[in-house]
Amino acid sequence: MLNKICEIGKKASVYMEAMGKIDERMYVVRSGKRLMIFDPNICDVLLEKISDWEISDITILLTHEHYDHITGVKWLLEHFRATVICSCGCKRILDNPIVSVQDYYDVLIPPEEKEYYVGHDLLKAEGYVFDVHFTFESDYSFIWQGIRVECVAAPGHSIGGAIYTLDETYVFTGDNLVNGSKAITRFPGGSRKDYLRVTVPIIHNLKEDSIIFPGHGEMENLKELLQYI
């Protein structure tokens, strides 16, 4: 299901859909006939909503390159035109789909869910390629529907990690800050050193009243989630 979970003032609504037992979170921010989608997964309800809402513009933002956070990108691009944004580090990995898909599949997908992914042809790594339209090396910001979007590269959990902040308060952290467990840095491309050196200071510099939309687990205020750094 795609459920509304938050309002960004009177500017936009935030919807969420969790994928499978790994609880990967896709967030959909809607303002009028425009969408921002963080880490798309395969969700037929989203297709229906895009039609019902008469959406004319879609921006996809990736928090990192791990398989469970990109499963719906190619699928979505096959149905609609959209602009894909990610960090330069993320794109470098995505340009090699054998790494971005196959290397993480056995690590990230529980055995009981693999039939689902086979059914969606997501195991054909050589074909899991999609265009990235804009990248940022360290940081970038833009205005979307009157909302200031700040993009910051945040390595550690992965090479291409990023954190996105909307209007200085609504923060999409991917797996750099999740609800219920410490950030993992042991996967291929992960670095505890980079996480502590670069990403932890980014998190600590967020506003105290920030609302966190993590890659896994329920949305929560920053204070409650700092225990998982």
Side-chain angles (χ1 to χ4, degrees), residues 22 102-110 114 186-188:
I22 57 173
Q102 284 188 343
D103 278 7
Y104 296 106
Y105 172 72
D106 285 326
V107 175
L108 295 172
I109 305 302
K114 291 185 177 181
R186 65 177 181 274
F187 291 152

Side-chain angles (χ1 to χ4, degrees), residues 72-178:
V73 179
K74 185 180 177 184
W75 169 81
L76 190 58
L77 292 175
E78 288 172 350
H79 290 86
F80 302 98
R81 285 195 294 181
T83 300
V84 180
I85 299 174
C86 68
S87 72
C88 291
C90 181
K91 185 179 186 303
R92 285 195 294 270
I93 303 300
L94 293 175
D95 285 342
N96 182 354
I98 299 299
V99 173
S100 62
V101 178
Q102 284 188 343
D103 278 7
Y104 296 106
Y105 172 72
D106 285 326
V107 175
L108 295 172
I109 305 302
E112 64 271 19
E113 296 197 8
K114 291 185 177 181
E115 183 178 348
Y116 170 86
Y117 293 97
V118 171
H120 284 85
D121 293 326
L122 294 178
L123 304 188
K124 298 177 181 178
E126 69 276 7
Y128 203 82
V129 178
F130 53 84
D131 290 332
V132 172
H133 305 96
F134 186 85
T135 61
F136 53 94
E137 186 67 51
S138 58
D139 60 88
Y140 174 68
S141 63
F142 62 95
I143 302 298
W144 181 87
Q145 296 292 82
I147 296 172
R148 182 175 179 82
V149 182
E150 298 176 72
C151 320
V152 181
H157 173 73
S158 72
I159 291 173
I163 291 175
Y164 301 94
T165 303
L166 277 54
D167 277 353
E168 300 184 332
T169 301
Y170 306 89
V171 188
F172 299 81
T173 56
D175 289 358
N176 284 303
L177 184 59
V178 300

